[in-house]
Amino acid sequence: MPRFLRYCYRLPPLLLHVLVGLPLILVLMGAWAARFSVRGERLDHWVAGAWARLLLRIFGLRTRRFGTPLPGAVLFVANHISWIDIIVLHSQCWMGFVAKAEIERWPLIGGVVTRAGTIYHHRGSNDSLHGVMHQMLQRLQDGLPVAVFPEGRTHSGEAVGVFHARIFQPAVLAGVPAQPVALRFGRRGEAQTLMAFGARESFVGNLWRVLGEPAREVEVHFLEPVPPSEDGRRKMAELCRRRIVDAMTSA
């Protein structure tokens, strides 16, 4: 189907989602929502997942889950190619993300991911990093899940980057496992580079381009958890990365 036609039938529901649905969803994710539940899940957490699933459908993306996310306190770690990775993970279960501070100002997703408990990091600031690590540890000790992208930035989708071990320290201190999550766009990951940010491509530019892409599947692989290691965070980082790479290259 020509790209122009895909814009024609996806843009109206996207505008409706933004102009009508987004304000309603932000209200439903207010502090008061934590006192209510839907199907055994906190109302604000359920709303974040429902919002993410609807947004993916508008973009023509259908998720397939492999494996099961751990409940409770766990450090989810995933490969990272695009802003849409956060939406895909939120569609599966609630988790508080660690993300760059710029995302808070992004249209469409900034307000929602902020209300969903995102921990923002100002890149290049040691004080910010120290605060992020403290918040991660506190949430894990409170029994809540935290999600990170250990590569530290988005990649082209051609390969999985090096995992920074320092981000695993809160899991080691809290004594909780890390669960690697492999995200594959398209059949056998054939659309990884298409979904990734292009050279000098802005968030809005990437969003508009992806909106016109053909419908495709997104595979979300929740892999075997890695227990907190007595050998430290480096071993956890290497093992998580290895499991994600293996899942990305499997048939």
Side-chain angles (χ1 to χ4, degrees), residues 21-170:
L22 190 56
L24 176 61
I25 287 169
L26 291 177
V27 170
L28 291 175
M29 293 177 68
W32 61 271
R35 300 194 299 269
F36 300 90
S37 63
V38 177
R39 298 177 181 176
E41 186 177 12
R42 274 176 43 173
L43 176 60
D44 51 344
H45 293 177
W46 182 87
V47 167
W51 174 86
R53 289 187 288 273
L54 178 57
L55 186 63
L56 291 177
R57 284 189 172 273
I58 292 172
F59 277 79
L61 297 171
R62 302 292 184 270
T63 57
R64 289 183 63 199
R65 179 195 288 185
F66 300 84
T68 304
L70 291 178
V74 55
L75 181 67
F76 291 107
V77 297
N79 55 303
H80 194 25
I81 64 167
S82 170
W83 60 273
I84 210 162
D85 300 337
I86 295 177
I87 311 303
V88 171
L89 289 170
H90 261 313
S91 75
Q92 302 303 303
C93 63
W94 182 86
M95 53 189 77
F97 281 87
V98 174
K100 61 181 182 180
E102 293 91 323
I103 291 178
E104 187 175 12
R105 301 190 298 272
W106 281 1
L108 182 60
I109 72 169
V112 175
V113 298
T114 297
R115 289 286 182 91
T118 298
I119 301 171
Y120 288 112
H121 170 50
H122 295 270
R123 289 180 175 176
S125 170
N126 287 330
D127 289 340
S128 174
L129 181 59
H130 178 76
V132 166
M133 303 287 274
H134 177 76
Q135 291 183 68
M136 289 175 62
L137 177 60
Q138 185 63 58
R139 290 195 186 183
L140 292 172
Q141 290 176 335
D142 289 342
L144 298 174
V146 176
V148 297
F149 300 109
E151 294 163 283
R153 62 181 180 85
T154 56
H155 283 260
S156 65
E158 297 175 348
V160 178
V162 174
F163 278 15
H164 297 288
R166 188 174 183 180
I167 202 69
F168 288 81
Q169 186 65 19

Side-chain angles (χ1 to χ4, degrees), residues 202-219:
S202 66
F203 164 72
V204 174
N206 181 271
L207 183 149
W208 180 251
R209 179 172 59 78
V210 171
L211 186 65
E213 286 291 315
R216 55 174 49 98
E217 285 187 346
V218 184
E219 296 179 3

